[in-house]
Amino acid sequence: MTSTERPLLNRRLAEFGTTIFAEMSALAVATGAINLGQGFPDTDGPEEIREAAVRALRAGHGNQYPPGPGIPRLRTAIAEHQLRRYGLSFDPDTEVLVTAGATEAIAAALLALVEPGDEVVALEPYYDSYAASIALAGGRRVPVTLRPHDGAFRLDLDELRAAVTDRTRLLLLNTPHNPTGTVLTRAELTAIAELAVERDLLVVTDEVYEHLVFDDAEHLPLAAFPGMRERTVTIGSAGKTFSFTGWKVGWVTAAPALVDAVRAVKQFLTYVSSGPFQYAVAEALALPDSYFEEFRRSMLARRDILAEGLTAAGFEVFRPAGTYFVTTDIRPLGEKDGFAFCRALPERAGVVAIPNAVFYDDRQAGAPFVRFAFCKREEVLREAAGRLRRM
Ligand code: PMP
Ligand code: GLN
């Protein structure tokens, strides 16, 4: 085979195609539909933080390569945030790494910690970059499926235990969980921690929605559970918490040896990124508790508007305990194929959503589920709900 006949994209990534977020956002632009697909807010975060970025840029802070691990001020702010919120203490110099969003943190962690052939156990449905990053690392993905039960998607701990083999290298967790909105409970996290210790597993935990938990749900960082501090890579992101998804400032907190390993990969992916924005995010992390509480409350109000609108439109709604996504079941509408439904929805109703099937190995298991994002202005959510009801 000549080099032009051979497929250009390497075999590891061939199955992935274009991410659903790009496809659906392009569809929203092309049709003028309301985009409740890709999870980005339609209003920017706090004005004072925007101004902090402008000030940094004008002052020449971060316009040249920032330090590889991230600017000291931001690493300190990340450590202080983990201490203030969770009582977890990290050394800003050895236990914190700034990344190009959570996406790079996920990729770098998996490329660093997984050898070809290692098994990675991940909750399914999974955020789409997990599967691609595991594949790039040459790992084998072993999904453990969250299943609907009493109005929420729940983890079966026996299934999780059964998924772990002698080849399992790490658990890849996500809580609050995209796309289902599930927040793992203290009992579940305790069991996961016990399993990780017993089987000597590393854990990568994606906690980018840590500030978006509702009702009586509580975000508990896995790193705080017994035996986990030394084996857990925790991932956070400014994109979600401060509504600046385009800035791409994320971070890793972990024990020094884990941070070293992740940094060894990260230095060859981007080396560094987001110079001036790092200064602004350092200020954002130091905002008073009232900012985080108001942000949470405003998303809670939007969740209720969208959840009620979708219920009125005939969807079965899984009211999320966290994140800014709501997963629905379309079968009560007489539909069963989320892909076909989402591709037709902009024409039918002027709304864009995401078919959860893309987050499943077993596409059939995810077929009837469709995700809507509620990080949009209330009037936009009401308009979208009205369109869906009239559909
Ligand atoms: N993890 C999850 C669960 C997400 O939903 C997203 C999307 N924001 C990311 C990671 C990526 O975050 P970032 O934009 O910071 O790369
Ligand atoms: N995390 C966002 C979501 O789930 C999308 C981010 C992206 O487009 N990569 O909608």
Side-chain angles (χ1 to χ4, degrees), residues 19 21-22 37-40 103 127-128 178 209 240 248 325 354 359 371:
T19 117
F21 303 116
Q38 193 176 28
F40 63 90
T103 306
Y127 180 55
D128 69 342
N178 176 9
Y209 298 102
K240 303 295 163 180
K248 295 299 286 189
F325 303 111
I354 299 287
F359 308 130
R371 187 195 86 175

Side-chain angles (χ1 to χ4, degrees), residues 63-105:
N63 291 332
Q64 311 303 331
Y65 298 130
I71 63 165
R73 198 187 298 177
L74 176 54
R75 282 185 276 118
T76 300
I78 292 165
E80 280 169 359
H81 172 270
Q82 296 305 87
L83 187 62
R84 169 163 68 124
R85 305 281 312 183
Y86 310 119
L88 279 167
S89 149
F90 290 96
D91 179 340
D93 290 330
T94 58
E95 297 189 309
V96 179
L97 174 67
V98 177
T99 56
T103 306
E104 188 192 39

Side-chain angles (χ1 to χ4, degrees), residues 279-302:
Y279 289 82
V281 171
E283 288 192 30
L285 282 164
L287 286 171
D289 290 347
S290 56
Y291 164 76
F292 298 92
E293 180 49 24
E294 178 45 36
F295 175 62
R296 197 189 67 77
R297 243 202 303 259
S298 85
M299 285 298 171
L300 172 62
R302 299 177 215 200

Side-chain angles (χ1 to χ4, degrees), residues 19-35:
T19 117
I20 192 70
F21 303 116
E23 180 188 341
M24 288 299 167
S25 282
L27 194 57
V29 170
T31 58
I34 297 177
N35 190 356

Side-chain angles (χ1 to χ4, degrees), residues 42-362:
D42 61 355
T43 43
D44 285 349
E47 187 55 28
E48 74 230 65
I49 302 305
R50 263 201 326 194
E51 281 305 317
V54 172
R55 272 200 315 277
L57 205 130
R58 289 228 169 90
H61 292 156
N63 291 332
Q64 311 303 331
Y65 298 130
I71 63 165
R73 198 187 298 177
L74 176 54
R75 282 185 276 118
T76 300
I78 292 165
E80 280 169 359
H81 172 270
Q82 296 305 87
L83 187 62
R84 169 163 68 124
R85 305 281 312 183
Y86 310 119
L88 279 167
S89 149
F90 290 96
D91 179 340
D93 290 330
T94 58
E95 297 189 309
V96 179
L97 174 67
V98 177
T99 56
T103 306
E104 188 192 39
I106 293 158
L110 291 164
L111 288 167
L113 303 173
V114 173
E115 289 289 358
D118 282 348
E119 291 179 358
V120 176
V121 173
L123 306 183
E124 177 186 70
Y126 41 73
Y127 180 55
D128 69 342
S129 89
Y130 298 178
S133 293
I134 294 168
L136 281 173
R140 242 177 49 72
R141 158 175 103 237
V142 179
V144 173
T145 307
L146 306 182
R147 295 180 207 283
H149 180 70
D150 276 350
F153 283 78
R154 300 272 29 135
L155 171 64
D156 180 331
L157 287 166
D158 291 330
E159 258 185 68
L160 177 66
R161 284 186 203 100
V164 173
T165 73
D166 293 343
R167 291 178 302 280
T168 308
R169 171 65 163 164
L170 67 81
L171 304 180
L172 176 52
L173 296 183
N174 172 214
T175 185
H177 182 263
N178 176 9
T180 63
T182 293
V183 177
L184 295 176
T185 62
R186 185 181 293 279
E188 287 165 337
L189 290 164
T190 301
I192 291 169
E194 284 168 6
L195 178 66
V197 170
E198 181 196 320
R199 304 299 297 265
D200 193 21
L201 305 173
L202 299 174
V203 183
V204 174
T205 171
D206 176 346
E207 303 184 359
V208 300
Y209 298 102
E210 63 192 301
H211 289 284
L212 289 176
V213 288
F214 310 124
D215 309 326
D216 45 15
E218 187 187 2
H219 174 69
L220 300 166
L222 188 69
F225 284 72
M228 297 313 289
R229 180 68 174 73
E230 297 310 303
R231 62 179 69 245
T232 303
V233 174
T234 304
I235 294 174
S237 172
K240 303 295 163 180
T241 299
F242 302 111
S243 300
F244 290 115
T245 58
W247 289 9
K248 295 299 286 189
V249 177
W251 51 83
V252 161
T253 48
L258 287 167
V259 164
D260 283 351
V262 178
R263 192 179 49 236
V265 173
K266 185 259 184 307
Q267 66 184 335
F268 296 122
L269 294 178
T270 54
Y271 179 49
V272 293
S273 62
S274 309
F277 299 128
Q278 292 195 25
Y279 289 82
V281 171
E283 288 192 30
L285 282 164
L287 286 171
D289 290 347
S290 56
Y291 164 76
F292 298 92
E293 180 49 24
E294 178 45 36
F295 175 62
R296 197 189 67 77
R297 243 202 303 259
S298 85
M299 285 298 171
L300 172 62
R302 299 177 215 200
R303 177 198 70 169
D304 290 343
I305 291 169
L306 187 63
E308 271 140 43
L310 290 168
T311 304
F315 293 81
E316 182 185 350
V317 170
F318 298 92
R319 194 171 281 249
T323 76
Y324 46 48
F325 303 111
V326 47
T327 283
T328 61
D329 189 330
I330 57 176
R331 282 173 291 191
L333 299 169
E335 303 275 349
K336 53 183 193 301
D337 177 354
F339 262 114
F341 181 80
C342 287
R343 292 215 164 98
L345 199 60
E347 285 301 330
R348 284 178 70 189
V351 175
V352 164
I354 299 287
N356 286 25
V358 296
F359 308 130
Y360 285 79
D361 277 16
D362 176 3

